[in-house]
């Protein structure tokens, strides 16, 4: 299921890969690997430092945006820190400024209906 979700999101986000990028626009990330690049991992770690209540596991860097710093869109699996928690999926947006500070700017939950069956 995890691979299917990642593949699906990569296809959807790659749909605009052939368009001419605009200044300040989001750029798709080539996916030779699902490992986060060092700069994205550092921004992710700093933005989540001290966050309690859930474990955020980065799965793939989906896109980046050059601003006065860098914005990152990272696909994450989020598991609340409670007994019998069910993990969820989200796109986590992180802003890293030019001074090395990072913060989460948005978290968009991805709803997955676990009770439906795939279309045939």
């Amino acid at each position: 299921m995890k691979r299917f979700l990642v593949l699906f999101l990569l296809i959807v986000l790659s749909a605009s890969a052939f368009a001419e990028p605009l200044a300040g626009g989001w750029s798709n990330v080539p996916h030779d690997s699902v490992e986060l690049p060092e700069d994205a991992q550092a921004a992710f770690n700093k933005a989540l430092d001290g966050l309690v209540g859930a474990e955020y596991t980065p799965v793939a860097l989906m896109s980046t945006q050059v601003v006065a710093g860098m914005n990152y869109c990272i696909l994450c699996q989020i598991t609340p820190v409670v007994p019998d928690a069910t993990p969820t999926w989200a796109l986590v947006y992180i802003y890293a400024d030019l001074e090395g500070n990072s913060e989460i700017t948005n978290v968009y939950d991805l709803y997955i209906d676990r009770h439906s069956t795939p279309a045939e």
Side-chain angles (χ1 to χ4, degrees):
M1 181 66 178
K2 179 179 174 180
R3 288 180 189 255
F4 174 76
L5 178 63
V6 171
L7 179 61
F8 174 75
L9 288 172
L10 293 175
I11 291 169
V12 169
L13 291 175
S14 296
S16 63
F18 300 106
E20 187 67 27
L22 301 173
W26 286 90
S27 298
N28 294 329
V29 175
H31 287 92
D32 299 334
S33 168
V34 294
E35 298 282 326
L36 263 62
E38 189 175 315
D39 60 329
Q41 185 68 57
F44 180 85
N45 292 343
K46 185 165 267 195
L48 274 77
D49 186 38
L51 186 67
V52 295
E55 179 181 324
Y56 286 65
T57 305
V59 176
L61 176 62
M62 304 305 291
S63 58
T64 59
Q65 180 187 37
V66 177
V67 291
M70 182 71 79
N71 286 321
Y72 299 96
C73 174
I74 301 172
L75 175 64
C76 292
Q77 183 177 40
I78 302 173
T79 306
V81 183
V82 296
D84 302 320
T86 300
T88 60
W89 295 89
L91 293 175
V92 178
Y93 288 82
I94 294 175
Y95 168 65
D97 67 20
L98 298 173
E99 286 78 39
N101 302 307
S102 295
E103 65 179 333
I104 296 173
T105 56
N106 286 305
V107 177
Y108 292 105
D109 292 323
L110 301 174
Y111 176 74
I112 300 173
D113 185 356
R114 290 174 174 72
H115 301 289
S116 66
T117 56
E120 296 187 33

